Amino acid sequence: MKFQCKRIQHRSLSPHSSSNLFNVLTEEIVCKILDHLHDDPFAIKSFSITCKSFYFIESRHRGSLRPLRAELLPRTFHRYPSVSLLDLSLCPRVDDSTLNVISSTWKTTLRSINLSRSRFFTNAGLSSLFINCSGLVEVDLSNSTHLTDLAASAIAEARNLEMLSLARCKLITDMGIGCIAVGCRKLKSLCLKWCLRVGDLGVELIALKCKQIRSLDLSYLPITEKCLNSVLKLQNLEDLVIEGCHGIDDDGLSTLEQSCKSLKMLNLSNCQNVTHTGLSSLINGTEQLQQIILAYGSSVTSDLAKCLHTYSKLQSIKLDGCIITWSGIKAMACLRAPIKELSFSKCLGLTDDGLSFLVQSHKYLRKLDITCCRKITYTSIDSITSSCTFLTSLRMESCSLVPKEAFVLIGERCSFLEELDATDNEIDDEGLKSISRCSKLSILKLGICSNISDEGLAKVGSCCSQLKELDLYRSTAVSDAGITAIADGCPALEMINIAYNDKITDKSLISLSRCGMLKVLEIRGCLGVSSTGVSAIAVGCKQLTVLDLKKCFNINDNGMLPLAQFSQNLKQINLSYCSVTDVGLVALASLSRLQNMTILHLAGLTPNGLAAALLACRALTKVKLHASFRPLLSQSILGYMEAHGCVFHWRDKAFQKEMDPKGWKLHFGRNSNEVP
C-alpha cells in the first residue's frame, strides 16, 4: 500500500529566519522526490537524514523492504509502518517467530513476500502469515524443499493470493496442491517447476478451481496429456510452460479435445517425445500465440514449421539445440507473421544457404541468436546485415568460420544494435571501429578475441557512451590504454570482465575507479594488478557488488582494508590464490552485505583467522573452502554458521596455476619465475 501523503504544516520564513528551509516543501513534493530515488539506496539514506521532517516522511513513504538479515527486521517494524513488498531473499534464516512478528506488524499493508532463499520456517509460521495478512497477493516460496502438504494447506488460507511460486518444493503432492486450488481461487500465476510429486490430479484441480490463471509453469512434472484438457479450458491462460515433461507425447496430445484461444506463450523445450503431430494438436486454435519455445526438442522439419503458418501474431521462435533441416528453413521463411526474434543457439544443420534464405523473408527481425552455429560464414553475416537492418541484439559466440571482414558489415548496416556477443571470434580492430558506429550499444562481449587491441577499444570508448557491460575475458592484446579509453568514454559502465589479460596493471583499475556505476569487476588471473588498484576501485566504485580477484597474487591485506571501509555494497568476492592473510579476511568480515566468499589456497590464512572471519561475517550464505580446513574448524562454529543459513562447499583440489595465456593448459606450482 502506497503511503498517502499529507501536507506538512509549516510556518512562513522571514529573510532572517534560522529555521530549516526544507520545511517550506509540502509533503506531496517530498514524496515526488522520493519516487525518483527508489533505485538508489544511498540517495534515499542521504535524503532521510537531511532533517527530521524528511526522516519522518521517508519512513512512511517506503513501501518495499529488502533486509540483509532477518535479525535486522525488528529495527524496521516501527520505522516503516507501510511496507507492502517484503523481500527476504537475502535472509537464509527466517523462522516461525519472525513470520509471526511480520504478520502482526504489517497485517494490513503487506501484499508481497519473497521467501525463495529462506529456510527454518514451518507450516505454523506460514499459517500465521496467511491468516493475519489477508491482503497478500504475491508469495514466492521457491527452493523450500522442506515444505510438505501441511505448508500447502497453510497457503490455502491466502484467499486473495494471485501469484505463487513453489519451484523445487519437492515434498508437496497432489493433495497439497488440491488444498491450494480450493483455497486460492484468485490465482493468476502459478509456478510448480520441479515439484516432482505433483501429477495430473494436482494440475487438473488447479485448472478446475482457479479459473483466473494466466501463467502456469509445469516444468519437469510427471504429468501426461490427461491434465491438459482441463488446462486448455482456462479462458485467461496466456503463458504455459511444460518444459521437460517427458510423459507428454504425440499419442496423448492427439486425444486433446480442447484448444486455448487466449494462449500467447508456449514453452515445449526438452519434450523429445513431441513432434509436429503433437504440436499441431496442442496449439490448434490458439489465435493469440506470440512466442513459441521448442528448444532441445525434435528436428525442425517442414511439417513442424508449417504448424506455425496460421498464427499471424507470432513474434518469437526459439529452437536452441534442435537439428535444423533445409525443408524446415524454407517453411519458416514462408511464415507471414511479423517475426522479431529467432534463436538458433547450438543448432546443428544451420548453414549459410538456410540462414540467408530465412532472414531475407524476415527483414524486421530485432533479435537473432546463432551462438555456436559453426557452419555459417561471411555469407550469412552479409545476408543478415543487409536484410535485418533493425537488429538490436546479435549473439554469435563461437561462430568460428566467420572472418574478421564480416564484422565491419555489422557496424555499417546495423546502427540500432544494442547487444553484440562476438565471444571467441575473429573480430579485429577494424571490426570494432565499425561497430562503434552503433551508438546505442550497451552490451559488448569480446571474450577470447585475440585480434582486438587498444586501438579498437579506444574507438568504442569514444563513440559508445551508453555501454554498460563489456567482456574482454582472455582478449590478451588489450592493455591499460584500451581500458582507460573505455573508462573515460563509458561512464555508465556497470560490468567489466578483463580476466586473464597479462597486460593489465593497476593503471586500468585506477581508470575504472572513475566509473561510479560499476557493479561487477572480474580481474581473475591479472598478474599485473596489486592492492593499489583494488584500493582505487574501493574508493571510487561504491556500487560494487561482485569482485573476482582469483589468482591475483600481488593483492594482499592492503587491498582488503579499503574494501572493508568503502565497498559497503559488496556481496560476492573470490580471493582464491591471493596473498591475503587473517588480517585482511577479518577486515572484510565487517561488510554487512557480504554473502558469498570463495577462499581457496590462501597461504596466509589460519584456522583461527578463518573462524574469526566466519563468525564476524553475519550475512554469509555461501562459503567455498579447501577441504583441509574442515577438520581444523570446530564443529560448534560450523554448526552455528549452518544454523544461520550458511552453506559450506568443500573442495579438495591441488594448487593449480594457469600459465598459458589462452588457458588451454594448467601448470602446477607457485613459482612466479615460471610466468612467461
Side-chain angles (χ1 to χ4, degrees):
M1 178 184 298
K2 188 173 181 179
F3 173 59
Q4 299 297 319
C5 300
K6 299 179 181 178
R7 186 179 297 272
I8 295 179
Q9 293 182 351
H10 58 271
R11 60 181 180 274
S12 59
L13 301 177
S14 67
H16 305 290
S17 174
S18 60
S19 299
N20 191 339
L21 291 175
F22 288 124
N23 287 335
V24 302
L25 297 177
T26 64
E27 193 162 331
E28 289 88 347
I29 293 176
V30 177
C31 287
K32 286 290 185 182
I33 296 172
L34 284 168
D35 287 339
H36 287 280
L37 299 179
H38 69 280
D39 289 332
D40 188 344
F42 286 101
I44 293 176
K45 183 176 181 180
S46 299
F47 183 93
S48 66
I49 61 176
T50 301
C51 59
K52 290 183 178 179
S53 61
F54 279 18
Y55 182 90
F56 175 82
I57 296 171
E58 190 275 329
S59 68
R60 277 144 184 79
H61 176 272
R62 183 184 288 269
S64 62
L65 202 61
R66 194 184 189 201
L68 299 173
R69 301 188 302 276
E71 52 264 37
L72 298 177
L73 275 172
R75 305 180 189 178
T76 68
F77 291 144
H78 295 295
R79 180 176 178 185
Y80 302 115
S82 305
V83 170
S84 60
L85 192 158
L86 181 60
D87 186 349
L88 297 176
S89 59
L90 300 180
C91 304
R93 184 179 180 87
V94 176
D95 55 24
D96 289 344
S97 61
T98 302
L99 292 183
N100 291 336
V101 178
I102 289 172
S103 64
S104 61
T105 301
W106 294 305
K107 184 175 183 179
T108 60
T109 63
L110 194 63
R111 293 177 59 81
S112 173
I113 188 168
N114 187 339
L115 293 162
S116 61
R117 299 291 177 183
S118 306
R119 292 177 289 164
F120 300 101
F121 58 87
T122 69
N123 57 291
L126 290 177
S127 181
S128 172
L129 179 69
F130 294 128
I131 290 175
N132 290 323
C133 300
S134 59
L136 269 173
V137 295
E138 182 177 359
V139 175
D140 191 343
L141 293 168
S142 302
N143 306 305
S144 298
T145 54
H146 62 291
L147 295 183
T148 65
D149 287 340
L150 288 175
S153 64
I155 296 171
E157 299 290 341
R159 305 298 183 186
N160 293 309
L161 201 60
E162 296 180 5
M163 300 178 66
L164 174 63
S165 179
L166 296 173
R168 296 182 182 83
C169 293
K170 298 181 180 181
L171 298 182
I172 293 179
T173 70
D174 289 335
M175 183 177 296
I177 297 301
C179 293
I180 292 172
V182 172
C184 305
R185 301 291 185 95
K186 296 182 180 180
L187 271 180
K188 295 180 180 179
S189 176
L190 177 62
C191 178
L192 297 175
K193 185 175 183 178
W194 286 110
C195 292
L196 300 179
R197 298 192 182 187
V198 176
D200 289 323
L201 177 59
V203 174
E204 193 167 8
L205 287 171
I206 288 290
L208 291 174
K209 299 294 184 181
C210 304
K211 299 295 187 182
Q212 299 182 43
I213 288 282
R214 294 181 181 176
S215 177
L216 187 59
D217 189 342
L218 307 176
S219 301
Y220 300 99
L221 266 59
I223 58 174
T224 67
E225 76 286 347
K226 293 179 182 178
C227 65
L228 290 184
N229 262 320
S230 298
V231 169
L232 296 178
K233 289 179 182 178
L234 291 166
Q235 296 182 1
N236 299 304
L237 186 64
E238 296 180 354
D239 299 339
L240 177 60
V241 183
I242 47 180
E243 178 180 357
C245 295
H246 302 301
I248 297 176
D249 56 24
D250 286 346
D251 292 338
L253 293 177
S254 65
T255 66
L256 293 178
E257 302 172 352
Q258 189 71 33
S259 63
C260 184
K261 296 182 179 180
S262 60
L263 195 65
K264 294 182 179 180
M265 189 281 289
L266 174 65
N267 187 340
L268 264 174
S269 299
N270 273 307
C271 291
Q272 288 91 354
N273 298 325
V274 178
T275 67
H276 69 277
T277 303
L279 177 63
S280 180
S281 300
L282 183 58
I283 64 176
N284 181 39
T286 52
E287 303 167 352
Q288 305 298 319
L289 193 63
Q290 296 178 7
Q291 182 181 45
I292 188 162
I293 305 173
L294 303 173
Y296 300 98
S298 59
S299 298
V300 180
T301 62
S302 61
D303 290 330
L304 186 144
K306 287 176 182 177
C307 292
L308 307 177
H309 277 196
T310 59
Y311 302 100
S312 60
K313 297 183 180 180
L314 193 61
Q315 298 180 17
S316 173
I317 303 174
K318 297 187 177 183
L319 303 169
D320 302 341
C322 293
I323 297 175
I324 308 295
T325 67
W326 172 244
S327 63
I329 287 290
K330 287 197 295 184
M332 287 182 64
C334 295
L335 292 173
R336 296 180 180 178
I339 304 298
K340 295 182 179 179
E341 180 178 15
L342 287 172
S343 185
F344 296 107
S345 175
K346 301 179 182 178
C347 285
L348 298 177
L350 189 66
T351 63
D352 283 338
D353 291 341
L355 188 55
S356 298
F357 184 77
L358 182 60
V359 296
Q360 289 171 16
S361 300
H362 299 293
K363 296 187 176 182
Y364 295 100
L365 207 60
R366 297 293 193 274
K367 297 181 179 181
L368 178 63
D369 190 342
I370 48 175
T371 298
C372 295
C373 293
R374 303 183 188 277
K375 293 183 178 181
I376 68 169
T377 68
Y378 179 95
T379 303
S380 288
I381 304 302
D382 186 20
S383 297
I384 292 168
T385 55
S386 60
S387 299
C388 307
T389 56
F390 294 99
L391 270 182
T392 60
S393 173
L394 178 59
R395 299 179 180 178
M396 50 179 297
E397 177 183 349
S398 297
C399 293
S400 51
L401 295 183
V402 175
K404 59 185 180 182
E405 293 80 9
F407 292 92
V408 176
L409 302 179
I410 297 174
E412 289 177 347
R413 299 172 180 174
C414 301
S415 59
F416 297 100
L417 205 64
E418 298 174 9
E419 176 185 10
L420 175 63
D421 186 349
T423 302
D424 192 19
N425 273 288
E426 296 299 317
I427 185 172
D428 63 1
D429 287 337
E430 292 305 312
L432 272 187
K433 290 176 183 178
S434 179
I435 288 167
S436 68
R437 300 179 186 180
C438 306
S439 59
K440 296 183 179 180
L441 198 65
S442 62
I443 300 174
L444 181 58
K445 297 184 179 182
L446 301 168
I448 322 178
C449 293
S450 56
N451 296 328
I452 65 170
S453 70
D454 297 336
E455 184 181 351
L457 282 182
K459 193 65 175 178
V460 172
S462 64
C463 299
C464 302
S465 60
Q466 298 182 38
L467 195 66
K468 292 185 177 181
E469 295 184 21
L470 179 61
D471 188 348
L472 296 168
Y473 173 85
R474 292 192 188 278
S475 295
T476 52
V478 173
S479 72
D480 294 331
I483 302 303
T484 299
I486 292 294
D488 290 342
C490 307
L493 195 68
E494 295 180 2
M495 178 271 178
I496 187 168
N497 185 348
I498 47 178
Y500 296 112
N501 291 324
D502 55 7
K503 294 182 175 64
I504 299 298
T505 72
D506 287 334
K507 292 181 180 178
S508 290
L509 300 192
I510 293 171
S511 298
L512 289 171
S513 69
R514 297 192 291 270
C515 299
M517 302 300 292
L518 194 66
K519 296 178 181 178
V520 179
L521 175 61
E522 298 187 40
I523 55 174
R524 174 184 301 208
C526 292
L527 304 181
V529 301
S530 71
S531 295
T532 301
V534 173
S535 299
I537 290 291
V539 174
C541 303
K542 301 293 197 305
Q543 301 291 333
L544 195 68
T545 59
V546 177
L547 181 59
D548 189 344
L549 305 175
K550 182 178 179 180
K551 296 187 178 178
C552 294
F553 304 120
N554 295 322
I555 293 177
N556 54 31
D557 294 340
N558 292 332
M560 300 303 102
L561 299 179
L563 285 174
Q565 182 177 358
F566 298 106
S567 300
Q568 297 301 311
N569 275 318
L570 196 64
K571 295 179 181 179
Q572 179 178 327
I573 191 168
N574 188 339
L575 296 172
S576 299
Y577 299 85
C578 292
S579 301
V580 175
T581 71
D582 296 346
V583 175
L585 196 63
V586 171
L588 281 181
S590 65
L591 293 172
S592 60
R593 296 175 183 262
L594 191 59
Q595 296 178 298
N596 188 328
M597 285 200 303
T598 301
I599 41 180
L600 299 172
H601 298 292
L602 292 187
L605 184 62
T606 68
N608 288 338
L610 175 59
L614 291 175
L615 292 175
C617 197
R618 303 182 65 185
L620 278 179
T621 59
K622 180 180 177 181
V623 181
K624 189 178 291 187
L625 286 164
H626 195 273
S628 60
F629 275 105
R630 191 168 193 169
L632 302 178
L633 292 172
S634 71
Q635 288 302 311
S636 60
I637 291 177
L638 294 177
Y640 174 83
M641 296 298 298
E642 290 171 350
H644 283 75
C646 183
V647 177
F648 289 93
H649 294 262
W650 304 99
R651 297 291 183 266
D652 191 15
K653 294 173 64 177
F655 187 97
Q656 293 179 327
K657 181 175 181 179
E658 293 193 24
M659 304 290 291
D660 185 351
K662 291 189 177 180
W664 312 134
K665 297 179 181 179
L666 289 173
H667 302 268
F668 293 87
R670 196 172 180 176
N671 185 353
S672 60
N673 295 325
E674 295 176 0
V675 181

